[in-house]
Amino acid sequence: MASSTQIPALEIDELTRDYPGVRAVDAVSFAIEPGTVHCLVGENGAGKSTLVKMITGALAPSAGSMRVNGKTHNPTNPQEARDNGIATLFQELHVVDELTVRENLTLGLEAKRFGFLIRSDLDDRVVKTLAAIEPSIDPAVRVSSLSVAQKQIVEIARAASSGASVIIMDEPTAALSEREVERLFEVIRRLKDNGVTVIYISHKLEEIFTLGDIVTVLRDGKHIATKPLVKVEGRPELIEMMIGRTVAHNYVPRPNPPGDVVLTARGLTNHLLKNVSFDIRKGEIVGFYGLVGAGKTEIARAIFAADSYDGEIIFKSQPVGHTPKDALAAGIALVPEERRTQGLFTAMSIRENIPVMNLPRMSKGGVFRADKEERAAHEFVSRLRIATDSIEKQTEKLSGGNQQKVVLAKCLFSQAELLLLDEPTRGVDVGAKTEIYDIIKSLADQDNTVAIFSSELEEVLGICDRIFLLYDGQLRAGIRNGDNVDTAQILDLVTGGSMQEDAA
Amino acid sequence: MTTLAVSPITARKHRRLSDQGFITVMVAVVAVLLFLLASVLVPNFFQLQNMINLVTNNWAVISLGVGVTFLLVSGNFDLSVGGNVALAGVLSVWLAQSTGGANTLSTGLGFPLPLALAGAMAGALAIGALNAFFVVRLGVPSIIVTLGTMMVARGLAQVITHGSQRNTNLPDGFGTLGNLTLFGTVKLPVVLMGMLLLVAVFIERRMLIGRVTYWVGANPVAATLSGIDRGRHVTRLYLFSAAIAGMVGILLASEFKSGFSNRGMLMEFDALVIALLGGVAIAGGFGSVIGMFFGAIILAVVTSAATGLVLSPDWQFILKAVAVFLAITAQTWALARRNR
């Protein structure tokens, strides 16, 4: 394969990026050989996106340097990165539906004379590039008539014909069917034959093994390994590199045994979920763990009746109704995934946010109980230790952790028996994280039931009694937490592997 | 960490005026300053009767402003109120006119007066229901829906009056409501406006549905995920606003003893303008009825001072425009500065 005398397509040297309090990418160095498919893997938060943003000029590195084909690459914006031959295929497509394929390919590169468009050899060149990677697409048809996969290929052709030597693809198969994925892989192989280098990012490990030449593993912002995939001994080795041997594991089994089944879900199916069934018992903390797009949020929203679904959900031997209002009345509350857009009234104060999920308690003959509101605000500010100088503080101005506590306070005020927490500690500082975990544990100790939907393995292993593993809308397994949990096996399941040995 | 915790009592003492209160006070101060300025510039402006007139001459727009303010706070427009005033007025006349008049315009349906007024209210509420149906059920942006129903309502009024007005063959008591005076000189519609303002302020400040309006407008997604039935609430607000428009339409028709299809023309825009002058946020979640009231005073002072300065009435729109731009820019600037 690549000889050592070749100049790397992209060389990364001691690249570092700091955020306040966090080093997202920590002195990462590796080289990418030209004409290869180079895969980038790591858990959520390993530093992949930050690294890609630095390569494409969207973020400036705190330290370190990069070289493209031997020349210094120090882009201050995405256009400079493109000029240096680095193209990115974004998950959301940047094609113009109303134009033809040919017009899309030359968009922004048109030859002009006196303000009028003229034909140029550019047209022929882009059409030839497209024909080379995907002959079945007619350059004369409108892009609106193409499938998502074909549009993606048009974008790839545009990148390739603009002279990109490196194309970065971030989860390109997320929206594709199995057949379309194969087509995309053929296109990528043809690109490679034409000397283009592809940086391929995916959570789906089979794709990495099918397509990749070389893999680079990142973990906690650090470079773990770069090696040819033929030398990787299957999924277990790759997973071990991704998560390491030591997953912080401080789960303490809770003393009180779980009670009766309180919630039963049977055959949940919608645009993403595929026949998901499970039970949750009273007083339990259950976790739903999976990677981005595995279906966690969809399950939470289905239980809360915020989205429609096929199948049934029974809570305390009654079907949950059809609206969040019904779910709340039945005793279910949701802390949504996006606290600022879905959970908080950011323009309003802490006091004004807290009572919203329990209106019956706030009204006496239609009159709003301002006295109760104020008491509740003081109670929750001290009970959840929300750091503020006043209950009148606008929630917009609180830190992420304190905003999350206000959302939690809203739900607790509703006196729900089942709390659904979607990514409860995302973007929350370490101190507040621990406090939120303590709140969750004390809730379960008081016989409430908590379901946590998280893409952080450490989080679910830290506090959940049982963990459901999700991959691609399917519930792959349910395991009991404890000392004998095999983290490698969990990672294997949530990345699409099949169970190799029986779960404990 | 524990030293940071402030005891509830001290926190209470340090409570600042909320942004809401701040803007309302600011609008009131501007209204008073403008009035004093006009008093210096315009002869005979500074008179008690003139102050009273500023309010009483604008009872219709201020009443409509109440419904429009609630809807704006909930994140929705209501541009149908002006057309609805015309429709309700024309309906009340048409239903009450006796049968067998000399021509079509003097021939009505001959309903007893109470039934005719109830019919007019039903017509106005139907427009409100139409607004709610399109906005809530079909999810059409409210500015488009109510622009449409504004034309539907006025269009119906024009059909009923053949583009003109109906003012003959009316029962004796028809003109009573609009011309009745209480406490000596105050007309009934002005008293009703005063009562409406009191009720509205109570709903807004003290009742659960008042608070729900702010939640729905501040973040509709979070409101739904917090278990609020947003559709039902917005429906109620559209019916409330339509009921006010119906009342105003009936009172105006009674005052002039006529149903005129052009009545209430541009009132929807005046109602919107006074709400915005009064600090109601066009994006929803922020604003107050009291602010809207002072917004109406600002607009009234500007327009009546203009007349007093012997500016030709042609300049009224320009003056309104200047007042609106200045007031809204000042509010935006003041809020940004305060929250810096």
Side-chain angles (χ1 to χ4, degrees):
Chain A
M1 281 192 61
S3 71
S4 53
T5 53
Q6 242 174 332
I7 299 170
L10 176 65
E11 219 179 326
I12 289 166
D13 192 15
E14 298 281 313
L15 207 59
T16 299
R17 169 73 200 195
D18 291 322
Y19 288 112
V22 196
R23 178 157 283 191
V25 171
D26 188 1
V28 167
S29 305
F30 63 97
I32 295 176
E33 304 296 329
T36 58
V37 175
H38 194 109
C39 300
L40 205 52
V41 298
E43 274 195 289
N44 295 323
K48 298 180 307 251
S49 336
T50 309
L51 183 63
V52 166
K53 281 182 186 158
M54 289 191 284
I55 298 172
T56 57
L59 262 184
S62 308
S65 63
M66 293 177 277
R67 276 176 299 282
V68 171
N69 297 321
K71 277 178 277 181
T72 306
H73 175 64
N74 186 18
T76 53
N77 59 51
Q79 187 56 48
E80 280 183 33
R82 279 194 288 273
D83 293 344
N84 286 350
I86 304 228
T88 317
L89 184 66
F90 292 100
Q91 276 190 38
E92 62 278 26
L93 297 172
H94 294 167
V95 286
V96 183
D97 272 349
E98 297 312 314
L99 298 180
T100 64
V101 170
R102 179 188 281 120
E103 286 163 344
N104 261 285
L105 289 172
T106 58
L107 200 63
L109 312 166
E110 300 91 343
K112 275 173 252 165
R113 185 167 295 152
F114 309 123
F116 293 96
L117 295 178
I118 53 168
R119 276 194 68 85
S120 70
D121 55 347
L122 179 79
D123 283 27
D124 303 322
R125 207 174 73 222
V126 295
V127 169
K128 256 183 231 155
T129 314
L130 178 64
I133 60 174
E134 182 61 60
S136 75
I137 298 179
D138 178 359
V141 302
R142 277 197 190 199
V143 164
S144 55
S145 67
L146 301 181
S147 70
V148 174
Q150 288 173 316
K151 287 178 186 175
Q152 219 168 33
I153 290 167
V154 170
E155 268 209 62
I156 294 173
R158 184 160 73 189
S161 63
S162 71
S165 57
V166 178
I167 301 182
I168 300 174
M169 300 185 188
D170 191 353
E171 299 276 351
T173 59
L176 304 188
S177 73
E178 228 164 285
R179 272 205 45 197
E180 289 173 330
V181 170
E182 277 166 36
R183 285 269 284 283
L184 177 71
F185 284 6
E186 278 168 38
V187 167
I188 292 174
R189 290 193 188 102
R190 261 176 254 147
L191 275 178
K192 196 169 84 168
D193 295 342
N194 292 341
V196 176
T197 309
V198 173
I199 301 180
Y200 191 89
I201 302 164
S202 178
H203 283 305
K204 297 178 180 164
L205 296 188
E206 299 99 286
E207 292 182 8
I208 307 284
F209 282 102
T210 313
L211 187 69
D213 298 315
I214 297 175
V215 64
T216 287
V217 182
L218 297 180
R219 186 170 78 221
D220 297 332
K222 292 193 181 66
H223 177 251
I224 301 302
T226 293
K227 63 200 277 190
L229 274 152
V230 288
K231 292 192 184 153
V232 175
E233 287 167 23
R235 303 169 60 86
E237 190 191 336
L238 195 52
I239 288 166
E240 195 190 309
M241 288 194 287
M242 283 165 68
I243 59 166
R245 264 289 168 221
T246 50
V247 166
H249 198 203
N250 44 13
Y251 172 72
V252 183
R254 286 176 316 106
N256 53 334
D260 299 333
V261 170
V262 68
L263 182 122
T264 307
R266 289 285 170 266
L268 300 189
T269 301
N270 65 13
H271 64 278
L272 183 66
L273 301 178
K274 297 171 186 114
N275 198 17
V276 172
S277 302
F278 55 87
D279 291 328
I280 300 177
R281 289 174 176 280
K282 193 170 177 60
E284 259 188 330
I285 303 175
V286 295
F288 288 82
Y289 173 69
L291 303 169
V292 174
K296 301 180 300 287
T297 298
E298 285 73 13
I299 292 176
R301 288 179 63 98
I303 298 175
F304 195 56
D307 288 335
S308 59
Y309 55 88
D310 294 328
E312 65 173 353
I313 296 177
I314 303 290
F315 179 63
K316 295 199 296 180
S317 17
Q318 298 274 334
V320 179
H322 303 289
T323 64
K325 189 183 180 185
D326 299 336
L328 202 56
I332 304 173
L334 169 73
V335 172
E337 185 180 19
E338 301 279 343
R339 70 176 154 266
R340 291 177 43 81
T341 56
Q342 302 173 332
L344 275 183
F345 301 90
T346 50
M348 298 172 104
S349 66
I350 298 172
R351 170 178 60 80
E352 291 165 315
N353 264 277
I354 288 173
V356 62
M357 291 177 90
N358 196 341
L359 299 188
R361 200 168 145 195
M362 294 313 296
S363 158
K364 188 178 177 190
V367 174
F368 187 74
R369 296 292 306 267
D371 54 333
K372 273 196 187 174
E373 177 183 57
E374 188 159 335
R375 231 180 303 137
H378 285 306
E379 183 201 320
F380 280 108
V381 164
S382 63
R383 180 170 150 206
L384 303 188
R385 298 214 277 156
I386 298 171
T388 176
D389 51 5
S390 158
I391 58 167
E392 300 302 326
K393 188 149 185 152
Q394 209 188 330
T395 49
E396 174 81 62
K397 292 172 192 156
L398 296 172
S399 70
N402 284 304
Q403 285 183 338
Q404 190 69 338
K405 286 182 188 173
V406 174
V407 180
L408 211 51
K410 265 174 63 187
C411 288
L412 295 184
F413 188 73
S414 78
Q415 298 181 310
E417 293 160 66
L418 171 60
L419 274 175
L420 311 169
L421 310 177
D422 197 356
E423 302 289 357
T425 62
R426 180 184 282 175
V428 161
D429 60 286
V430 182
K433 226 174 188 171
T434 317
E435 289 180 354
I436 289 172
Y437 293 151
D438 289 342
I439 296 165
I440 293 171
K441 282 183 221 160
S442 74
L443 282 172
D445 290 341
Q446 291 155 32
D447 240 13
N448 295 294
T449 313
V450 183
I452 294 169
F453 301 81
S454 176
S455 48
E456 278 184 55
L457 186 55
E458 209 177 316
E459 177 160 296
V460 290
L461 286 177
I463 50 172
C464 296
D465 305 321
R466 274 195 305 148
I467 302 164
F468 294 114
L469 304 177
L470 300 168
Y471 170 74
D472 200 21
Q474 304 157 46
L475 201 152
R476 301 298 301 272
I479 56 170
R480 186 154 292 286
N481 201 357
D483 292 334
N484 52 356
V485 162
D486 181 348
T487 49
Q489 194 179 48
I490 291 175
L491 261 289
D492 188 48
L493 282 167
V494 299
T495 52
S498 52
M499 190 86 87
Q500 282 154 355
E501 53 199 288
D502 288 339
Chain B
M1 282 305 253
T2 45
T3 52
L4 273 176
V6 177
S7 82
I9 296 101
T10 45
R12 179 74 200 269
K13 275 188 196 149
H14 288 286
R15 183 193 271 194
R16 287 194 323 169
L17 195 59
S18 68
D19 281 355
Q20 185 65 71
F22 171 70
I23 282 292
T24 308
V25 169
M26 190 176 129
V27 173
V29 167
V30 169
V32 170
L33 288 179
L34 273 177
F35 181 80
L36 293 177
L37 182 68
S39 303
V40 172
L41 295 176
V42 182
N44 299 327
F45 197 85
F46 192 79
Q47 284 176 7
L48 183 65
Q49 191 55 45
N50 194 34
M51 288 185 210
I52 294 171
N53 287 350
L54 287 177
V55 178
T56 55
N57 291 347
N58 290 292
W59 66 267
V61 169
I62 294 173
S63 303
L64 296 178
V66 170
V68 169
T69 298
F70 272 97
L71 274 162
L72 277 178
V73 169
S74 80
N76 294 282
F77 286 92
D78 190 353
L79 297 177
S80 70
V81 289
N84 220 354
V85 164
L87 177 65
V90 165
L91 272 178
S92 69
V93 171
W94 181 48
L95 296 176
Q97 278 178 314
S98 45
T99 51
N103 54 43
T104 29
L105 277 183
S106 56
T107 308
L109 297 183
F111 284 18
L113 191 56
L115 205 58
L117 299 187
M121 280 306 284
L125 288 172
I127 295 291
L130 211 56
N131 287 336
F133 176 76
F134 281 103
V135 172
V136 170
R137 280 295 163 87
L138 305 183
V140 184
S142 62
I143 191 164
I144 297 170
V145 171
T146 59
L147 204 55
T149 50
M150 162 176 108
M151 292 185 271
V152 168
R154 195 171 296 286
L156 286 172
Q158 280 181 352
V159 169
I160 296 171
T161 59
H162 301 277
S164 170
Q165 56 179 317
R166 291 173 171 266
N167 51 14
T168 51
N169 227 347
L170 282 163
D172 289 340
F174 192 84
T176 311
L177 279 179
N179 294 298
L180 195 69
T181 52
L182 300 168
F183 320 117
T185 56
V186 191
K187 289 200 303 188
L188 176 69
V190 177
V191 175
L192 290 177
M193 175 205 76
M195 284 162 58
L196 178 65
L197 281 175
L198 290 178
V199 170
V201 171
F202 184 77
I203 293 176
E204 177 192 286
R205 297 283 124 200
R206 291 272 174 267
M207 289 189 68
L208 181 65
I209 49 172
R211 176 59 76 76
V212 169
T213 311
Y214 286 91
W215 278 321
V216 165
N219 188 342
V221 175
T224 304
L225 288 179
S226 300
I228 289 175
D229 190 340
R230 195 151 48 95
R232 198 172 77 172
H233 190 69
V234 172
T235 301
R236 275 194 234 161
L237 292 180
Y238 271 115
L239 292 176
F240 178 54
S241 179
I244 294 172
M247 285 287 294
V248 170
I250 288 169
L251 290 169
L252 282 172
S254 167
E255 182 180 348
F256 295 97
K257 294 185 191 130
S258 84
F260 181 36
S261 61
N262 278 354
R263 190 158 289 136
M265 196 67 117
L266 293 181
M267 271 192 191
E268 58 281 323
F269 291 108
D270 279 345
L272 184 61
V273 162
I274 60 173
L276 296 180
L277 280 177
V280 180
I282 202 146
F286 190 86
S288 71
V289 168
I290 299 178
M292 179 277 297
F293 176 78
F294 283 111
I297 300 299
I298 292 179
L299 194 66
V301 168
V302 168
T303 46
S304 67
T307 322
L309 282 170
V310 215
L311 276 178
S312 105
D314 304 344
W315 284 87
Q316 274 207 7
F317 267 104
I318 298 290
L319 267 170
K320 278 192 195 179
V322 171
V324 170
F325 276 118
L326 286 181
I328 289 168
T329 312
Q331 279 167 23
T332 314
W333 176 79
L335 262 194
R337 223 183 117 78
R338 177 179 157 88
N339 287 328
R340 202 164 49 189

